[in-house]
Amino acid sequence: MKNYWPFGIFLLAMVVVGLIVLTIKVAVMNPVELQSICQRSSQEIDANINEIVKSRESFLNKYNVSFEGALQQDTKSFRQIFLRLSNKINGKIETDAKVSFFLTRPNTVKEDKNLGEGELVEGLWQSQSFEVQKEGRYQSEALIEIGEDSICVTQEYFIQKSID
């Protein structure tokens, strides 16, 4: 009667080595340092995190910020990003803000798009028109500056293939 234990242990060791190699390959091909938020690198955010948190809290105490639109859309209908920005004290729409929009895919910088400054139309800040080719997860980012106050807000969207 043959004993297959040595063969099984060898195969298990090879699977473990293969998974280690695969993990290293994925880590090298997708470095974290290439990720950015509102066109700021991870290193810049780490270095200035205390000021960013204070600025964010101060901004959110003064203003209401929310993205508008469905979180699940198809590739044909996802053309613009909409943002509502109002003052918490009087509830009025903020018209003197500078809003810059960015579109990115999580975990990659290959498809990042700088959509430029937004335009205020009927109470909503809207980005320039854009087109997405692939379905999947997208993140819209908006860098909002009002005087000395600034904030970067993000919203994740799931884009499905359009049904023709």
Side-chain angles (χ1 to χ4, degrees):
M1 189 166 169
K2 293 186 177 181
N3 189 352
Y4 293 101
W5 277 102
F7 184 65
I9 292 171
F10 175 75
L11 284 179
L12 181 64
M14 297 303 351
V15 167
V16 168
V17 168
L19 290 175
I20 290 171
V21 169
L22 180 65
T23 301
I24 292 171
K25 181 180 176 189
V26 168
V28 169
M29 298 301 290
N30 299 305
V32 173
E33 69 266 6
L34 294 180
Q35 207 168 14
S36 65
I37 299 172
C38 286
Q39 303 300 308
R40 296 170 103 182
S41 69
S42 299
Q43 291 85 358
E44 182 182 347
I45 292 171
D46 285 344
N48 301 315
I49 192 65
N50 292 331
E51 292 83 21
I52 292 170
V53 168
K54 286 178 187 175
S55 175
R56 182 177 183 85
E57 287 175 3
S58 171
F59 192 94
L60 291 176
N61 286 334
K62 297 176 187 176
Y63 305 101
N64 289 321
V65 180
S66 63
F67 284 92
E68 300 288 323
L71 299 180
Q72 291 190 2
Q73 300 184 35
D74 62 47
T75 54
K76 287 191 177 183
S77 66
F78 189 56
R79 297 276 183 234
Q80 281 186 309
I81 301 167
F82 300 97
L83 181 89
R84 186 172 305 279
L85 177 62
S86 62
N87 193 313
K88 276 191 175 181
I89 296 169
N90 57 19
K92 291 186 179 180
I93 302 295
E94 281 298 323
T95 58
D96 61 341
K98 178 184 175 192
V99 181
S100 302
F101 287 98
F102 309 97
L103 184 68
T104 184
R105 303 279 309 257
N107 307 322
T108 183
V109 295
K110 294 177 184 173
E111 298 176 46
D112 284 4
K113 293 181 183 180
N114 183 344
L115 303 175
E117 284 194 34
E119 181 181 2
L120 184 62
V121 178
E122 297 180 16
L124 284 176
W125 289 91
Q126 64 184 31
S127 70
Q128 296 176 2
S129 294
F130 56 87
E131 205 171 298
V132 293
Q133 303 296 327
K134 297 179 183 176
E135 61 272 0
R137 288 182 14 204
Y138 284 85
Q139 283 182 339
S140 64
E141 301 173 342
L143 178 61
I144 306 167
E145 298 171 301
I146 302 175
E148 294 293 318
D149 296 327
S150 67
I151 191 173
C152 179
V153 291
T154 62
Q155 177 67 54
E156 190 165 294
Y157 296 93
F158 184 74
I159 308 305
Q160 300 169 346
K161 194 170 196 168
S162 60
I163 301 171
D164 293 326

